[in-house]
Amino acid sequence: MAMRLFLVYVLAELAVVVGLASTIGFGWTLLILVGTFALGLALAGSQAKRQIRKLQSGLATPQGAVTDGALVALGSVLTMVPGLLTSVLGLILLLPPTRALARPAVAALAARQLGRMPLIVTSTGPGGFRTTSRDYVDGEVIDVTDVAQPGLPGTAGRPPVD
């Protein structure tokens, strides 16, 4: 499956570059490729700094900040992947107005993926740290004395509630 997706990616990028080179020439195509890469790096750096400032100042809602951070990270990675399609898609994700449009789709995708994940419960010891030893005391109760639970003031004479 991954190999097929990679093949589709390579063919799509190759088709775009060949089509663009046949239309405007190889030199201009190379200049556009380098330009989108450089613009993407500059925009990725500025947007990453902006996201860090937003998270530190607490101006954004947590959901929007996390989603925007994920979109900035994805846009940065796509910008650094060689190819015109991925660079343009990365640039689109790095622009704040388009991130606002993509945020609901990313949130829905994340919620759907989280619904498929199994719930893993771990036991922790005192202070929230996982205990490494499985010590237990093997014993036997010799004598049990039932003691009535003390009641609340003003409840004397009423039958206990189960």
Side-chain angles (χ1 to χ4, degrees):
M1 178 69 181
M3 192 63 170
R4 288 182 185 166
L5 285 176
F6 180 72
L7 183 64
V8 168
Y9 157 72
V10 169
L11 290 176
E13 289 287 357
L14 192 60
V16 168
V17 169
V18 167
L20 194 60
S22 68
T23 304
I24 63 173
F26 180 74
W28 287 109
T29 302
L30 191 61
L31 186 65
I32 287 174
L33 279 169
V34 171
T36 55
F37 178 74
L39 181 64
L41 285 180
L43 193 57
S46 70
Q47 289 301 311
K49 289 177 186 175
R50 182 177 176 201
Q51 283 303 117
I52 290 171
R53 280 196 307 269
K54 275 176 113 177
L55 288 172
Q56 287 175 343
S57 66
L59 293 177
T61 61
Q63 297 86 7
V66 170
T67 308
D68 276 355
L71 288 172
V72 166
L74 180 63
S76 300
V77 168
L78 286 175
T79 311
M80 292 177 206
V81 171
L84 191 60
L85 284 177
T86 54
S87 293
V88 169
L89 185 61
L91 285 172
I92 288 171
L93 287 177
L94 288 172
L95 297 173
T98 56
R99 277 200 317 263
L101 293 174
R103 195 177 302 135
V106 170
L109 181 66
R112 186 174 53 185
Q113 291 298 322
L114 286 175
R116 293 181 185 168
M117 293 178 66
L119 179 63
I120 299 172
V121 179
T122 60
S123 62
T124 57
F129 297 106
R130 184 181 291 247
T131 57
T132 57
S133 64
R134 302 284 182 195
D135 293 338
Y136 65 96
V137 177
D138 188 15
E140 186 176 324
V141 177
I142 305 290
D143 188 19
V144 176
T145 305
D146 289 333
V147 177
Q149 293 282 337
L152 294 174
T155 60
R158 289 192 215 158
V161 178
D162 289 331

